[in-house]
């Protein structure tokens, strides 16, 4: 696998799926209640409208055939086609995919894209598979879900442990099935196959813009700010680099193997240069600290960019950062959100902070549809404008409604979908 992995898993354990779905539903309910929507609206939105489970036979290199299980969830398509990544991971499960599709709906609502949320996943360990096996699995998945996806139905993209190469195989398979070239079927493609300039860095770029806006609100200057980044995958590594280049002091980073800390600032360029194709770099060092110690470091800005359930009721009291920007999906539990809010920490939630990726995916899809491609500066400029507006919409909603940023983001994200469902006469 290449280095363009959408997100990095920093530990093998994914959060308890039932909790993930339940906590998502609790916040959906709270947001809909605050907006004055009926119980029927909650019943419509509390789970995806469609969930497909597929079993995919794959010929392995040793001649055997192995069965893989995959999913595609489509939360709600009242606004437009559904949109969201496909993750390859041993701990993918149905409830996780459902929750992630609901978060995609929120992301699309917050950044105002004409999409609903979708998400896919395959239970597999890509680190132990050859390129040939990965290609056959990717193609098999597209054949299995081809009936319910497409450029005007549901548009996949990269996610945990999937990258531009996997998108290219999937796009090719879909184009063969439909018997015409279909670049708009999937985003996050290589540039030569209709990918967008700036898509690979978009998630990190989007987080950086949120950090800048949050820092302004708290009167913190980026120049010299002490930043800790958990996770060194696609989002985390680009992010550490951008913050470093902007003059911030990145004092801590981590990967699945452990974490590095230097109060004088780490040499990010050196670390980027030394990491392997799975983003691992800490294994080259002796004086590492744990991921938990990393989260509790004395810093100004903490960016969890790894996996879910990292900041919980048991460590939320020990966090020293004054701003937390969630680049990962679901790094903070509901209880921890409450504690951090009470402690006056500005928490920029995942559905807002990590929505830069899908925003540039949308730009990619628009460019595919019109067959006309924009230079990177244009993509970045459009992304910046979109994000500043989205951040401030959520921030103002939080101030006006006197709620935390997470609930405000859910309210902003859910409103358009609820309105569209209502106009369509569904509720
Ligand atoms: N997987 C990314 C996310 O969770 C990107 C989705 C997309 O680009 O459609 O936001």
């Amino acid at each position: 696998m290449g280095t363009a992995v959408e997100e990095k898993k920093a530990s093998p354990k994914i959060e308890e799926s039932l909790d993930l779905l339940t906590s998502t539903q609790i916040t959906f309910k709270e947001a809909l209640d605050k907006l004055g929507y009926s119980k029927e609206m909650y019943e419509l939105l509390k789970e995806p409208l469609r969930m497909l489970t597929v079993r995919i036979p794959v010929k392995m290199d040793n001649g055997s055939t192995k069965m893989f299980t995959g999913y595609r969830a489509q939360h709600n398509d009242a606004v437009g086609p559904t949109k969201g990544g496909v993750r390859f991971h041993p701990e993918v499960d149905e409830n996780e995919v459902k929750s992630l599709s609901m978060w995609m709906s929120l992301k699309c609502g917050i950044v105002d894209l004409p999409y609903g949320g979708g998400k896919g996943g395959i239970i597999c360990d890509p680190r132990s598979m050859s390129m040939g096996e990965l290609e056959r699995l990717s193609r098999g998945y597209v054949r299995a879900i081809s009936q319910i996806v497409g450029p005007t139905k549901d548009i996949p993209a990269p996610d945990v442990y999937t990258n531009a190469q996997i998108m290219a195989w999937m796009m090719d398979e879909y184009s063969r099935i439909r018997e015409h070239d279909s670049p708009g079927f999937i985003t996050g493609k290589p540039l030569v196959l209709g990918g967008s300039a700036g898509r690979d860095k978009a998630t990190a770029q989007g987080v950086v813009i949120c950090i800048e806006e949050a820092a302004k609100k708290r009167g913190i200057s980026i120049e010299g700010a002490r930043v800790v980044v958990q996770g060194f995958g696609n989002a985390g590594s680009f992010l550490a680099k951008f913050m470093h280049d902007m003059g911030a002091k990145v004092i801590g980073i981590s990967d699945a193997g452990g974490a590095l800390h230097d109060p004088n600032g780490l040499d990010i360029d050196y670390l980027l240069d030394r990491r392997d194709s799975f983003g691992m770099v800490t294994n080259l060092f002796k004086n590492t600290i744990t991921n938990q110690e990393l989260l509790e470091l004395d810093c100004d800005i903490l960016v969890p960019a790894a996996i879910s359930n990292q900041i919980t009721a048991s460590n939320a009291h020990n966090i020293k950062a004054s701003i937390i920007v969630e680049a990962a999906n679901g790094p903070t539990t509901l209880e921890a959100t409450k504690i951090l809010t009470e402690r006056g920490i500005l928490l920029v939630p995942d559905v807002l902070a990590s929505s830069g990726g899908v925003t540039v995916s949308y730009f990619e899809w628009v460019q595919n549809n019109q067959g006309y491609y924009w230079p990177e500066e244009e993509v970045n400029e459009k992304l910046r404008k979109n994000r500043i507006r989205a951040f401030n919409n959520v921030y103002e909603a939080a101030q006006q409604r006197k709620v935390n940023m997470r609930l405000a983001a859910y309210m902003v994200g859910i409103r358009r979908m609820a309105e569209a469902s209502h106009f369509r006469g569904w509720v």
Side-chain angles (χ1 to χ4, degrees):
M1 297 262 305
T3 51
V5 173
E6 182 74 2
E7 287 173 57
K8 183 72 179 68
K9 311 297 282 184
S11 105
K13 183 78 192 92
I14 285 186
E15 181 183 9
E16 193 48 49
S17 301
L18 184 65
D19 291 342
L20 207 61
L21 185 57
T22 308
S23 55
T24 305
Q25 288 173 331
I26 290 170
T27 319
F28 259 64
K29 177 93 178 62
E30 226 176 313
L32 287 167
D33 284 350
K34 282 242 179 282
L35 292 168
Y37 279 101
S38 63
K39 189 169 175 304
E40 284 85 351
M41 188 61 83
Y42 171 68
E43 287 300 315
L44 174 76
L45 299 178
K46 74 174 189 191
E47 280 206 40
L49 288 176
R50 188 181 286 119
M51 177 72 184
L52 181 65
T53 303
V54 294
R55 295 184 68 240
I56 311 154
V58 176
K59 279 262 179 295
M60 305 304 279
D61 290 349
N62 65 8
S64 67
T65 296
K66 193 170 166 190
M67 295 303 299
F68 289 87
T69 300
Y71 305 98
R72 185 73 193 171
Q74 298 172 345
H75 176 232
N76 183 289
D77 55 3
V79 173
T82 46
K83 178 91 192 81
V86 182
R87 60 175 56 183
F88 283 9
H89 194 272
E91 293 184 42
V92 159
D93 75 36
E94 204 173 323
N95 277 346
E96 184 198 40
V97 175
K98 281 185 183 175
S99 312
L100 290 165
S101 75
M102 294 164 74
W103 295 356
M104 284 310 302
S105 281
L106 297 171
K107 290 188 197 187
C108 294
I110 290 167
V111 291
D112 207 15
L113 310 180
Y115 295 138
K119 198 78 171 199
I122 302 178
I123 306 169
C124 67
D125 186 358
R127 289 164 296 189
S128 65
M129 294 171 71
S130 70
M131 289 296 271
E133 290 167 345
L134 281 171
E135 177 175 353
R136 293 189 287 279
L137 177 62
S138 305
R139 290 183 184 278
Y141 178 69
V142 170
R143 286 195 298 277
I145 64 166
S146 68
Q147 291 294 318
I148 65 159
V149 290
T152 54
K153 278 189 186 172
D154 180 16
I155 305 132
D159 199 80
V160 175
Y161 284 151
T162 53
N163 57 20
Q165 174 61 78
I166 291 174
M167 299 305 108
W169 290 324
M170 290 188 174
M171 193 275 270
D172 184 64
E173 190 65 24
Y174 185 81
S175 298
R176 288 186 196 200
I177 294 169
R178 293 282 174 259
E179 296 183 342
H180 56 75
D181 195 34
S182 310
F185 156 65
I186 204 162
T187 58
K189 301 177 292 292
L191 281 181
V192 288
L193 291 180
S196 175
R199 175 63 186 88
D200 53 349
K201 304 186 191 78
T203 305
Q205 199 93 57
V207 177
V208 168
I209 300 166
C210 279
I211 294 175
E212 287 178 304
E213 292 302 297
K216 272 189 221 156
K217 303 288 182 208
R218 283 293 153 104
I220 294 175
S221 155
I222 296 291
E223 179 86 42
R226 293 162 310 151
V227 179
V228 168
V229 182
Q230 186 198 32
F232 215 51
N234 179 286
S237 62
F238 276 128
L239 187 73
K241 169 80 178 141
F242 291 152
M243 295 310 294
H244 177 72
D245 290 351
M246 286 162 70
K249 222 195 282 177
V250 181
I251 62 165
I253 64 111
S254 75
D255 60 27
L260 302 174
H261 173 221
D262 182 345
N264 298 316
L266 294 159
D267 185 343
I268 297 300
D269 290 315
Y270 174 76
L271 296 175
L272 283 172
D273 196 48
R274 298 302 306 274
R275 68 185 185 144
D276 68 19
S277 62
F278 285 99
M280 294 289 285
V281 69
T282 60
N283 48 359
L284 301 173
F285 297 85
K286 280 207 176 70
N287 299 327
T288 57
I289 57 172
T290 65
N291 260 282
Q292 278 310 312
E293 287 165 337
L294 177 95
L295 294 172
E296 297 176 14
L297 286 175
D298 191 9
C299 66
D300 301 303
I301 301 163
L302 172 63
V303 189
I307 52 163
S308 55
N309 223 12
Q310 296 300 293
I311 305 177
T312 64
S314 56
N315 63 1
H317 286 290
N318 305 331
I319 303 285
K320 297 178 190 67
S322 48
I323 298 173
I324 300 175
V325 181
E326 298 180 333
N329 284 318
T332 314
T333 62
L334 278 187
E335 224 181 320
T337 302
K338 217 171 125 217
I339 297 169
L340 298 169
T341 308
E342 279 162 11
R343 291 187 54 215
I345 294 171
L346 177 55
L347 176 70
V348 183
D350 47 8
V351 286
L352 167 61
S354 71
S355 52
V358 69
T359 306
V360 177
S361 273
Y362 166 62
F363 297 159
E364 180 172 332
W365 180 77
V366 169
Q367 292 170 81
N368 293 150
N369 290 346
Q370 62 186 11
Y372 175 69
Y373 290 84
W374 313 335
E376 186 159 350
E377 306 79 67
E378 194 173 334
V379 172
N380 289 342
E381 193 42 43
K382 285 186 162 70
L383 175 67
R384 173 167 286 278
K385 277 198 188 131
N386 177 297
R387 295 206 65 69
I388 293 175
R389 194 183 52 224
F391 180 94
N392 286 290
N393 279 346
V394 173
Y395 188 82
E396 276 154 31
Q399 301 289 307
Q400 276 166 14
R401 300 282 193 146
K402 300 196 175 13
V403 297
N404 65 45
M405 288 279 279
R406 190 180 312 284
L407 184 52
Y410 272 59
M411 289 167 70
V412 171
I414 225 166
R415 190 185 291 142
R416 202 189 43 169
M417 191 171 32
E419 224 172 279
S421 300
H422 182 68
F423 272 121
R424 283 181 185 264
W426 294 353
V427 174

